Amino acid sequence: MIVPLLLFLFFVWYPMGRNLVLAFQDGYEDASFVGFQNFVDIFEDSSFLSAFKNTFLYIGWSLLIGYLVPVLLGFLLSEVIHAKGLFRVILYLPCMISGMAVVFLFNSMYGDGSQDLFNVIITHLGFQAHPWKGSTDLVIPLIVLAMTWKGAGSTALIYLSSFQSIDDSMYEAARMDGASARQRFFRITIPALRGTLLTLFVLQIISVFQVFYEPLVIGPNGGPLNASMSLMLLSYLYAFNDFEYGKSAATALVLALIIIAFTALYYLLDRFLKKKEAQ
């Protein structure tokens, strides 16, 4: 029991404590205390402001694509009668691929050349080739699309297990009354899955705040013109490109505080809903 605890302290709590100290220093070794200067510097940095704004763009696109798609996939899978196991395997296959491999795969698909997949498709449809990842308006939706392809299958299976916990007699009664799949989805499924939807909604937001290697590769380095820069990536670039460890730690601390705030919001909403159901 003592050894796992020591390992946990060394690999989790010690780095967190070290980061907290660095956020108020001007360097890594022989550093001096500078108070909140690092926080002042990052909030005056245009790269940080871009990353902060982009974080909410990531959230918006992630909720539009990455949150809704697994819900629909899970529901459609619950409606399948034959070969349900095969469809489960097909959905889960992308989750078994390395995240970095998926990013490099989509990075090649988003290429500017006429032989890259997206441009091959649109040129066959009669349109001109487009610099996909070079577009400041498209780079974040494209990154979210890659993230969704990678993780939608596992989330869809979570929803599927929740769908299967719903009493089948409710669906049978709805089918006998002539309810369509859309009506069953909105009038039976959604109300029954309110708790699961809320939990995965908050977890989706928290995970998006930690986007790192996707804009690092596809951007690249948060490009073009910081259009895909994330707070996590910016913290990395501060430390390993600019060697400004204090600003890196301050950025990571701001990110941690935002995640803590969303976690607290989830906890309060969960308590509110449970209390409302108990009444």
Side-chain angles (χ1 to χ4, degrees):
M1 183 65 183
I2 296 178
V3 174
L5 179 61
L6 291 175
L7 291 174
F8 183 78
L9 291 173
F10 181 76
F11 287 106
V12 178
W13 285 104
Y14 173 74
M16 290 174 60
R18 186 70 177 122
N19 184 86
L20 181 62
V21 172
L22 282 174
F24 298 94
Q25 293 181 337
D26 63 352
Y28 189 79
E29 296 180 355
D30 300 325
S32 59
F33 180 76
V34 294
F36 290 93
Q37 187 59 45
N38 288 321
F39 295 92
V40 174
D41 291 341
I42 62 173
F43 277 101
E44 291 179 348
D45 188 349
S46 60
S47 296
F48 177 86
L49 297 178
S50 296
F52 192 82
K53 180 195 72 173
N54 291 342
T55 298
F56 292 95
L57 291 176
Y58 275 113
I59 291 175
W61 282 106
S62 180
L63 294 179
L64 184 63
I65 301 174
Y67 182 69
L68 293 180
V69 168
V71 178
L72 295 175
L73 288 176
F75 177 72
L76 292 175
L77 192 57
S78 69
E79 293 287 311
V80 171
I81 298 176
H82 303 291
K84 184 175 290 188
L86 175 63
F87 285 110
R88 289 181 185 178
V89 172
I90 293 173
L91 272 180
Y92 194 74
L93 276 177
C95 304
M96 302 171 64
I97 305 174
S98 165
M100 188 61 76
V102 170
V103 171
F104 276 106
L105 170 65
F106 276 82
N107 187 48
S108 65
M109 292 165 58
Y110 299 153
D112 302 338
S114 59
Q115 300 304 314
D116 296 306
L117 180 61
F118 273 36
N119 280 332
V120 169
I121 294 173
I122 65 170
T123 51
H124 274 77
L125 294 175
F127 300 98
Q128 292 184 344
H130 185 78
W132 295 95
K133 61 182 181 179
S135 171
T136 56
D137 295 326
L138 291 177
V139 64
I140 287 181
L142 292 174
I143 289 174
V144 172
L145 180 62
M147 295 166 58
T148 302
W149 186 85
K150 169 71 172 67
S154 60
T155 309
L157 293 181
I158 294 174
Y159 283 117
L160 175 62
S161 65
S162 299
F163 292 146
Q164 292 176 338
S165 67
I166 302 174
D167 189 356
D168 289 337
S169 61
M170 299 176 65
Y171 288 110
E172 292 299 328
R175 288 190 181 97
M176 292 178 64
D177 289 338
S180 64
R182 182 181 64 84
Q183 290 173 325
R184 296 195 300 272
F185 179 72
F186 283 104
R187 296 184 181 181
I188 299 176
T189 306
I190 293 299
L193 299 182
R194 185 172 58 184
T196 303
L197 289 169
L198 175 61
T199 300
L200 293 178
F201 175 83
V202 176
L203 291 177
Q204 179 82 15
I205 293 176
I206 291 174
S207 66
V208 169
F209 273 109
Q210 303 174 65
V211 170
F212 170 61
Y213 57 81
E214 294 88 353
L216 175 67
V217 175
I218 294 177
N221 289 334
L225 302 175
N226 290 331
S228 64
M229 183 68 71
S230 67
L231 291 174
M232 185 74 80
L233 176 58
L234 182 62
S235 178
Y236 168 84
L237 294 177
Y238 275 147
F240 297 103
N241 275 20
D242 304 332
F243 303 105
E244 294 179 328
Y245 301 107
K247 292 172 68 173
S248 173
T251 303
L253 185 57
V254 170
L255 178 60
L257 292 174
I258 295 173
I259 293 175
I260 290 172
F262 273 96
T263 304
L265 178 62
Y266 161 70
Y267 176 75
L268 293 174
L269 285 174
D270 186 57
R271 287 192 61 184
F272 171 77
L273 291 176
K274 287 182 179 178
K275 187 180 295 186
K276 189 174 181 181
E277 289 177 355
Q279 291 177 351

